[in-house]
Amino acid sequence: VQLQASGGGLVQAGGSLTLSCAASGGTFTDYAIAWFRQAPGKEREFVATVTWTGLTTDYEDSVKGRFTVSRDDARNTAYLQMNSLKPEDTAVYYCAAQGRESTSFDAWGQGTLVTVSS
């Protein structure tokens, strides 16, 4: 499977953005989708994930209640809805796919930059 992340941009603090992760070349429903981010000078960190069924989601503590991860299997696309954005959310955001039998991520998107101004 190949992934392409999009939707990043510049937004003021308190604003919203929705990131998309479009998949191709595989059976989308065979993969859980996760979002990660990497801020300048920092290590990449987990943000959110949705299982292949779409029934279970998980979030990093700092984004709980502000971010929502979802998937549309008919469109082979996952989303990260980000509300109440803070300057500390500024980072390059990546999506990744993990197959049902995989112990690691099988594919990564290229990243999309989110910049939150104060």
mmCIF file of all heavy atoms in Angstrom, residues 15-57:
data_model
loop_
_atom_site.group_PDB
_atom_site.id
_atom_site.type_symbol
_atom_site.label_atom_id
_atom_site.label_comp_id
_atom_site.label_asym_id
_atom_site.label_seq_id
_atom_site.Cartn_x
_atom_site.Cartn_y
_atom_site.Cartn_z
ATOM 1 N N GLY A 15 -7.668 27.527 15.819
ATOM 2 C CA GLY A 15 -8.284 27.136 14.561
ATOM 3 C C GLY A 15 -8.322 25.641 14.350
ATOM 4 O O GLY A 15 -7.940 24.858 15.243
ATOM 5 N N SER A 16 -8.780 25.249 13.170
ATOM 6 C CA SER A 16 -8.956 23.838 12.843
ATOM 7 C C SER A 16 -8.355 23.509 11.482
ATOM 8 O O SER A 16 -8.282 24.365 10.593
ATOM 9 C CB SER A 16 -10.448 23.475 12.816
ATOM 10 O OG SER A 16 -11.060 23.684 14.064
ATOM 11 N N LEU A 17 -7.947 22.267 11.349
ATOM 12 C CA LEU A 17 -7.498 21.716 10.080
ATOM 13 C C LEU A 17 -7.901 20.258 10.033
ATOM 14 O O LEU A 17 -7.969 19.596 11.078
ATOM 15 C CB LEU A 17 -5.980 21.800 9.926
ATOM 16 C CG LEU A 17 -5.331 23.090 9.448
ATOM 17 C CD1 LEU A 17 -3.811 22.930 9.464
ATOM 18 C CD2 LEU A 17 -5.810 23.478 8.069
ATOM 19 N N THR A 18 -8.112 19.757 8.818
ATOM 20 C CA THR A 18 -8.346 18.329 8.645
ATOM 21 C C THR A 18 -7.294 17.780 7.700
ATOM 22 O O THR A 18 -7.162 18.253 6.561
ATOM 23 C CB THR A 18 -9.737 18.041 8.079
ATOM 24 O OG1 THR A 18 -10.726 18.514 8.993
ATOM 25 C CG2 THR A 18 -9.933 16.541 7.886
ATOM 26 N N LEU A 19 -6.560 16.807 8.169
ATOM 27 C CA LEU A 19 -5.574 16.129 7.344
ATOM 28 C C LEU A 19 -6.193 14.886 6.722
ATOM 29 O O LEU A 19 -7.046 14.239 7.329
ATOM 30 C CB LEU A 19 -4.358 15.727 8.173
ATOM 31 C CG LEU A 19 -3.672 16.842 8.959
ATOM 32 C CD1 LEU A 19 -2.438 16.293 9.682
ATOM 33 C CD2 LEU A 19 -3.318 18.013 8.086
ATOM 34 N N SER A 20 -5.744 14.569 5.522
ATOM 35 C CA SER A 20 -6.205 13.369 4.821
ATOM 36 C C SER A 20 -5.028 12.452 4.544
ATOM 37 O O SER A 20 -3.907 12.918 4.333
ATOM 38 C CB SER A 20 -6.879 13.741 3.511
ATOM 39 O OG SER A 20 -8.008 14.553 3.714
ATOM 40 N N CYS A 21 -5.306 11.165 4.526
ATOM 41 C CA CYS A 21 -4.300 10.154 4.205
ATOM 42 C C CYS A 21 -4.943 9.220 3.183
ATOM 43 O O CYS A 21 -5.766 8.374 3.549
ATOM 44 C CB CYS A 21 -3.880 9.397 5.453
ATOM 45 S SG CYS A 21 -2.684 8.076 5.165
ATOM 46 N N ALA A 22 -4.588 9.402 1.929
ATOM 47 C CA ALA A 22 -5.170 8.611 0.849
ATOM 48 C C ALA A 22 -4.303 7.397 0.568
ATOM 49 O O ALA A 22 -3.088 7.517 0.412
ATOM 50 C CB ALA A 22 -5.305 9.458 -0.404
ATOM 51 N N ALA A 23 -4.929 6.230 0.499
ATOM 52 C CA ALA A 23 -4.206 4.976 0.276
ATOM 53 C C ALA A 23 -4.468 4.443 -1.120
ATOM 54 O O ALA A 23 -5.559 4.611 -1.672
ATOM 55 C CB ALA A 23 -4.626 3.946 1.314
ATOM 56 N N SER A 24 -3.473 3.776 -1.661
ATOM 57 C CA SER A 24 -3.615 3.140 -2.964
ATOM 58 C C SER A 24 -2.724 1.908 -3.011
ATOM 59 O O SER A 24 -1.786 1.776 -2.226
ATOM 60 C CB SER A 24 -3.226 4.107 -4.085
ATOM 61 O OG SER A 24 -1.872 4.507 -3.961
ATOM 62 N N GLY A 25 -3.061 1.007 -3.908
ATOM 63 C CA GLY A 25 -2.215 -0.152 -4.126
ATOM 64 C C GLY A 25 -2.379 -1.274 -3.128
ATOM 65 O O GLY A 25 -1.534 -2.162 -3.068
ATOM 66 N N GLY A 26 -3.403 -1.246 -2.334
ATOM 67 C CA GLY A 26 -3.626 -2.316 -1.378
ATOM 68 C C GLY A 26 -5.082 -2.350 -0.964
ATOM 69 O O GLY A 26 -5.889 -1.544 -1.426
ATOM 70 N N THR A 27 -5.400 -3.292 -0.094
ATOM 71 C CA THR A 27 -6.757 -3.374 0.434
ATOM 72 C C THR A 27 -6.806 -2.557 1.704
ATOM 73 O O THR A 27 -6.290 -2.964 2.749
ATOM 74 C CB THR A 27 -7.132 -4.840 0.707
ATOM 75 O OG1 THR A 27 -7.012 -5.592 -0.514
ATOM 76 C CG2 THR A 27 -8.555 -4.929 1.218
ATOM 77 N N PHE A 28 -7.431 -1.404 1.619
ATOM 78 C CA PHE A 28 -7.387 -0.425 2.705
ATOM 79 C C PHE A 28 -7.867 -1.016 4.015
ATOM 80 O O PHE A 28 -7.311 -0.725 5.083
ATOM 81 C CB PHE A 28 -8.225 0.778 2.294
ATOM 82 C CG PHE A 28 -8.114 1.957 3.218
ATOM 83 C CD1 PHE A 28 -6.885 2.559 3.464
ATOM 84 C CD2 PHE A 28 -9.234 2.486 3.833
ATOM 85 C CE1 PHE A 28 -6.774 3.654 4.307
ATOM 86 C CE2 PHE A 28 -9.148 3.583 4.673
ATOM 87 C CZ PHE A 28 -7.908 4.164 4.912
ATOM 88 N N THR A 29 -8.882 -1.861 3.960
ATOM 89 C CA THR A 29 -9.453 -2.406 5.186
ATOM 90 C C THR A 29 -8.567 -3.444 5.860
ATOM 91 O O THR A 29 -8.905 -3.936 6.931
ATOM 92 C CB THR A 29 -10.835 -3.008 4.903
ATOM 93 O OG1 THR A 29 -10.732 -3.911 3.799
ATOM 94 C CG2 THR A 29 -11.845 -1.929 4.568
ATOM 95 N N ASP A 30 -7.449 -3.768 5.252
ATOM 96 C CA ASP A 30 -6.483 -4.663 5.881
ATOM 97 C C ASP A 30 -5.520 -3.933 6.813
ATOM 98 O O ASP A 30 -4.669 -4.562 7.444
ATOM 99 C CB ASP A 30 -5.656 -5.399 4.819
ATOM 100 C CG ASP A 30 -6.418 -6.535 4.166
ATOM 101 O OD1 ASP A 30 -7.457 -6.934 4.724
ATOM 102 O OD2 ASP A 30 -5.967 -7.003 3.103
ATOM 103 N N TYR A 31 -5.658 -2.607 6.877
ATOM 104 C CA TYR A 31 -4.672 -1.807 7.592
ATOM 105 C C TYR A 31 -5.298 -0.921 8.659
ATOM 106 O O TYR A 31 -6.328 -0.272 8.432
ATOM 107 C CB TYR A 31 -3.909 -0.914 6.615
ATOM 108 C CG TYR A 31 -3.095 -1.678 5.598
ATOM 109 C CD1 TYR A 31 -3.643 -2.033 4.379
ATOM 110 C CD2 TYR A 31 -1.786 -2.061 5.878
ATOM 111 C CE1 TYR A 31 -2.902 -2.753 3.451
ATOM 112 C CE2 TYR A 31 -1.036 -2.764 4.963
ATOM 113 C CZ TYR A 31 -1.603 -3.116 3.749
ATOM 114 O OH TYR A 31 -0.865 -3.825 2.836
ATOM 115 N N ALA A 32 -4.642 -0.895 9.808
ATOM 116 C CA ALA A 32 -4.881 0.170 10.766
ATOM 117 C C ALA A 32 -4.078 1.384 10.299
ATOM 118 O O ALA A 32 -3.005 1.239 9.701
ATOM 119 C CB ALA A 32 -4.428 -0.252 12.152
ATOM 120 N N ILE A 33 -4.597 2.562 10.564
ATOM 121 C CA ILE A 33 -3.931 3.800 10.163
ATOM 122 C C ILE A 33 -3.581 4.598 11.405
ATOM 123 O O ILE A 33 -4.416 4.774 12.304
ATOM 124 C CB ILE A 33 -4.813 4.654 9.246
ATOM 125 C CG1 ILE A 33 -5.186 3.875 7.982
ATOM 126 C CG2 ILE A 33 -4.093 5.952 8.889
ATOM 127 C CD1 ILE A 33 -4.017 3.519 7.084
ATOM 128 N N ALA A 34 -2.344 5.043 11.445
ATOM 129 C CA ALA A 34 -1.881 5.865 12.557
ATOM 130 C C ALA A 34 -1.353 7.195 12.033
ATOM 131 O O ALA A 34 -0.893 7.282 10.889
ATOM 132 C CB ALA A 34 -0.788 5.138 13.338
ATOM 133 N N TRP A 35 -1.446 8.196 12.890
ATOM 134 C CA TRP A 35 -0.863 9.504 12.599
ATOM 135 C C TRP A 35 0.269 9.749 13.601
ATOM 136 O O TRP A 35 0.120 9.484 14.796
ATOM 137 C CB TRP A 35 -1.903 10.599 12.726
ATOM 138 C CG TRP A 35 -2.910 10.596 11.627
ATOM 139 C CD1 TRP A 35 -4.118 9.967 11.623
ATOM 140 C CD2 TRP A 35 -2.809 11.257 10.365
ATOM 141 N NE1 TRP A 35 -4.765 10.191 10.438
ATOM 142 C CE2 TRP A 35 -3.981 10.992 9.646
ATOM 143 C CE3 TRP A 35 -1.829 12.065 9.774
ATOM 144 C CZ2 TRP A 35 -4.217 11.486 8.365
ATOM 145 C CZ3 TRP A 35 -2.051 12.554 8.499
ATOM 146 C CH2 TRP A 35 -3.229 12.269 7.808
ATOM 147 N N PHE A 36 1.360 10.278 13.080
ATOM 148 C CA PHE A 36 2.503 10.685 13.869
ATOM 149 C C PHE A 36 2.840 12.130 13.512
ATOM 150 O O PHE A 36 2.385 12.652 12.496
ATOM 151 C CB PHE A 36 3.727 9.799 13.561
ATOM 152 C CG PHE A 36 3.591 8.383 14.024
ATOM 153 C CD1 PHE A 36 2.863 7.461 13.290
ATOM 154 C CD2 PHE A 36 4.195 7.966 15.200
ATOM 155 C CE1 PHE A 36 2.734 6.141 13.718
ATOM 156 C CE2 PHE A 36 4.082 6.656 15.632
ATOM 157 C CZ PHE A 36 3.343 5.745 14.888
ATOM 158 N N ARG A 37 3.644 12.758 14.349
ATOM 159 C CA ARG A 37 4.115 14.094 14.009
ATOM 160 C C ARG A 37 5.548 14.268 14.496
ATOM 161 O O ARG A 37 5.993 13.604 15.439
ATOM 162 C CB ARG A 37 3.220 15.170 14.614
ATOM 163 C CG ARG A 37 3.206 15.214 16.131
ATOM 164 C CD ARG A 37 2.166 16.218 16.611
ATOM 165 N NE ARG A 37 2.092 16.273 18.066
ATOM 166 C CZ ARG A 37 1.182 16.981 18.739
ATOM 167 N NH1 ARG A 37 0.269 17.700 18.085
ATOM 168 N NH2 ARG A 37 1.194 16.981 20.058
ATOM 169 N N GLN A 38 6.241 15.162 13.833
ATOM 170 C CA GLN A 38 7.607 15.479 14.222
ATOM 171 C C GLN A 38 7.792 16.987 14.160
ATOM 172 O O GLN A 38 7.720 17.594 13.090
ATOM 173 C CB GLN A 38 8.620 14.783 13.313
ATOM 174 C CG GLN A 38 10.052 14.950 13.786
ATOM 175 C CD GLN A 38 11.002 13.996 13.096
ATOM 176 O OE1 GLN A 38 10.707 13.435 12.044
ATOM 177 N NE2 GLN A 38 12.172 13.791 13.686
ATOM 178 N N ALA A 39 8.007 17.552 15.326
ATOM 179 C CA ALA A 39 8.248 18.989 15.441
ATOM 180 C C ALA A 39 9.728 19.268 15.214
ATOM 181 O O ALA A 39 10.575 18.390 15.404
ATOM 182 C CB ALA A 39 7.814 19.479 16.812
ATOM 183 N N PRO A 40 10.060 20.490 14.832
ATOM 184 C CA PRO A 40 11.475 20.825 14.596
ATOM 185 C C PRO A 40 12.330 20.525 15.816
ATOM 186 O O PRO A 40 11.998 20.932 16.939
ATOM 187 C CB PRO A 40 11.426 22.326 14.309
ATOM 188 C CG PRO A 40 10.063 22.567 13.776
ATOM 189 C CD PRO A 40 9.170 21.615 14.526
ATOM 190 N N GLY A 41 13.402 19.782 15.603
ATOM 191 C CA GLY A 41 14.323 19.482 16.680
ATOM 192 C C GLY A 41 13.857 18.422 17.650
ATOM 193 O O GLY A 41 14.520 18.177 18.668
ATOM 194 N N LYS A 42 12.733 17.792 17.358
ATOM 195 C CA LYS A 42 12.193 16.774 18.269
ATOM 196 C C LYS A 42 12.033 15.445 17.547
ATOM 197 O O LYS A 42 12.036 15.371 16.321
ATOM 198 C CB LYS A 42 10.849 17.229 18.849
ATOM 199 C CG LYS A 42 10.940 18.464 19.719
ATOM 200 C CD LYS A 42 9.608 18.750 20.392
ATOM 201 C CE LYS A 42 9.700 19.939 21.324
ATOM 202 N NZ LYS A 42 8.394 20.221 22.011
ATOM 203 N N GLU A 43 11.865 14.404 18.326
ATOM 204 C CA GLU A 43 11.650 13.087 17.756
ATOM 205 C C GLU A 43 10.199 12.951 17.292
ATOM 206 O O GLU A 43 9.298 13.623 17.789
ATOM 207 C CB GLU A 43 11.988 12.001 18.776
ATOM 208 C CG GLU A 43 13.461 11.947 19.149
ATOM 209 C CD GLU A 43 13.786 10.764 20.042
ATOM 210 O OE1 GLU A 43 12.854 10.069 20.485
ATOM 211 O OE2 GLU A 43 14.985 10.544 20.296
ATOM 212 N N ARG A 44 10.003 12.040 16.363
ATOM 213 C CA ARG A 44 8.651 11.756 15.907
ATOM 214 C C ARG A 44 7.836 11.138 17.048
ATOM 215 O O ARG A 44 8.351 10.297 17.795
ATOM 216 C CB ARG A 44 8.710 10.793 14.720
ATOM 217 C CG ARG A 44 7.382 10.507 14.051
ATOM 218 C CD ARG A 44 7.597 9.672 12.805
ATOM 219 N NE ARG A 44 8.270 8.414 13.118
ATOM 220 C CZ ARG A 44 8.824 7.627 12.195
ATOM 221 N NH1 ARG A 44 8.795 7.975 10.928
ATOM 222 N NH2 ARG A 44 9.411 6.495 12.549
ATOM 223 N N GLU A 45 6.576 11.551 17.152
ATOM 224 C CA GLU A 45 5.734 11.039 18.224
ATOM 225 C C GLU A 45 4.386 10.586 17.679
ATOM 226 O O GLU A 45 3.883 11.117 16.681
ATOM 227 C CB GLU A 45 5.521 12.093 19.313
ATOM 228 C CG GLU A 45 4.745 13.303 18.877
ATOM 229 C CD GLU A 45 4.431 14.266 20.031
ATOM 230 O OE1 GLU A 45 4.776 13.966 21.186
ATOM 231 O OE2 GLU A 45 3.818 15.308 19.757
ATOM 232 N N PHE A 46 3.825 9.630 18.380
ATOM 233 C CA PHE A 46 2.501 9.116 18.053
ATOM 234 C C PHE A 46 1.444 10.168 18.350
ATOM 235 O O PHE A 46 1.514 10.865 19.364
ATOM 236 C CB PHE A 46 2.235 7.848 18.862
ATOM 237 C CG PHE A 46 0.804 7.401 18.854
ATOM 238 C CD1 PHE A 46 0.290 6.705 17.792
ATOM 239 C CD2 PHE A 46 -0.019 7.678 19.928
ATOM 240 C CE1 PHE A 46 -1.030 6.288 17.783
ATOM 241 C CE2 PHE A 46 -1.332 7.273 19.947
ATOM 242 C CZ PHE A 46 -1.840 6.582 18.869
ATOM 243 N N VAL A 47 0.438 10.260 17.466
ATOM 244 C CA VAL A 47 -0.658 11.202 17.671
ATOM 245 C C VAL A 47 -1.985 10.470 17.858
ATOM 246 O O VAL A 47 -2.702 10.707 18.840
ATOM 247 C CB VAL A 47 -0.768 12.184 16.485
ATOM 248 C CG1 VAL A 47 -1.978 13.093 16.656
ATOM 249 C CG2 VAL A 47 0.506 13.002 16.348
ATOM 250 N N ALA A 48 -2.319 9.594 16.918
ATOM 251 C CA ALA A 48 -3.623 8.939 16.967
ATOM 252 C C ALA A 48 -3.606 7.721 16.056
ATOM 253 O O ALA A 48 -2.780 7.618 15.155
ATOM 254 C CB ALA A 48 -4.729 9.892 16.532
ATOM 255 N N THR A 49 -4.546 6.808 16.309
ATOM 256 C CA THR A 49 -4.663 5.644 15.455
ATOM 257 C C THR A 49 -6.108 5.184 15.371
ATOM 258 O O THR A 49 -6.899 5.434 16.293
ATOM 259 C CB THR A 49 -3.773 4.487 15.953
ATOM 260 O OG1 THR A 49 -3.756 3.426 14.987
ATOM 261 C CG2 THR A 49 -4.279 3.928 17.277
ATOM 262 N N VAL A 50 -6.457 4.545 14.267
ATOM 263 C CA VAL A 50 -7.773 3.941 14.083
ATOM 264 C C VAL A 50 -7.547 2.536 13.535
ATOM 265 O O VAL A 50 -6.735 2.325 12.649
ATOM 266 C CB VAL A 50 -8.659 4.790 13.142
ATOM 267 C CG1 VAL A 50 -8.014 5.013 11.785
ATOM 268 C CG2 VAL A 50 -10.048 4.189 13.002
ATOM 269 N N THR A 51 -8.258 1.576 14.097
ATOM 270 C CA THR A 51 -8.084 0.188 13.677
ATOM 271 C C THR A 51 -8.685 -0.054 12.302
ATOM 272 O O THR A 51 -9.404 0.794 11.767
ATOM 273 C CB THR A 51 -8.734 -0.768 14.683
ATOM 274 O OG1 THR A 51 -10.123 -0.421 14.799
ATOM 275 C CG2 THR A 51 -8.067 -0.661 16.044
ATOM 276 N N TRP A 52 -8.398 -1.249 11.728
ATOM 277 C CA TRP A 52 -8.904 -1.527 10.384
ATOM 278 C C TRP A 52 -10.435 -1.591 10.354
ATOM 279 O O TRP A 52 -11.040 -1.368 9.329
ATOM 280 C CB TRP A 52 -8.302 -2.819 9.834
ATOM 281 C CG TRP A 52 -8.303 -3.951 10.791
ATOM 282 C CD1 TRP A 52 -9.327 -4.804 11.082
ATOM 283 C CD2 TRP A 52 -7.219 -4.356 11.631
ATOM 284 N NE1 TRP A 52 -8.940 -5.693 12.028
ATOM 285 C CE2 TRP A 52 -7.653 -5.462 12.379
ATOM 286 C CE3 TRP A 52 -5.900 -3.895 11.819
ATOM 287 C CZ2 TRP A 52 -6.819 -6.111 13.304
ATOM 288 C CZ3 TRP A 52 -5.094 -4.546 12.724
ATOM 289 C CH2 TRP A 52 -5.558 -5.638 13.452
ATOM 290 N N THR A 53 -11.041 -1.882 11.494
ATOM 291 C CA THR A 53 -12.505 -1.900 11.534
ATOM 292 C C THR A 53 -13.083 -0.505 11.674
ATOM 293 O O THR A 53 -14.274 -0.294 11.429
ATOM 294 C CB THR A 53 -12.996 -2.745 12.714
ATOM 295 O OG1 THR A 53 -12.557 -2.129 13.918
ATOM 296 C CG2 THR A 53 -12.457 -4.161 12.622
ATOM 297 N N GLY A 54 -12.260 0.431 12.121
ATOM 298 C CA GLY A 54 -12.756 1.764 12.408
ATOM 299 C C GLY A 54 -13.461 1.879 13.736
ATOM 300 O O GLY A 54 -13.908 2.962 14.113
ATOM 301 N N LEU A 55 -13.524 0.792 14.476
ATOM 302 C CA LEU A 55 -14.314 0.787 15.711
ATOM 303 C C LEU A 55 -13.525 1.283 16.913
ATOM 304 O O LEU A 55 -14.119 1.672 17.927
ATOM 305 C CB LEU A 55 -14.836 -0.628 15.983
ATOM 306 C CG LEU A 55 -15.807 -1.186 14.950
ATOM 307 C CD1 LEU A 55 -16.210 -2.603 15.316
ATOM 308 C CD2 LEU A 55 -17.035 -0.290 14.837
ATOM 309 N N THR A 56 -12.214 1.229 16.823
ATOM 310 C CA THR A 56 -11.377 1.592 17.966
ATOM 311 C C THR A 56 -10.386 2.667 17.569
ATOM 312 O O THR A 56 -9.751 2.578 16.511
ATOM 313 C CB THR A 56 -10.614 0.367 18.495
ATOM 314 O OG1 THR A 56 -11.556 -0.655 18.837
ATOM 315 C CG2 THR A 56 -9.796 0.734 19.722
ATOM 316 N N THR A 57 -10.281 3.670 18.408
ATOM 317 C CA THR A 57 -9.313 4.740 18.202
ATOM 318 C C THR A 57 -8.508 4.957 19.475
ATOM 319 O O THR A 57 -8.936 4.576 20.567
ATOM 320 C CB THR A 57 -10.005 6.062 17.816
ATOM 321 O OG1 THR A 57 -10.928 6.417 18.852
ATOM 322 C CG2 THR A 57 -10.754 5.926 16.505
#
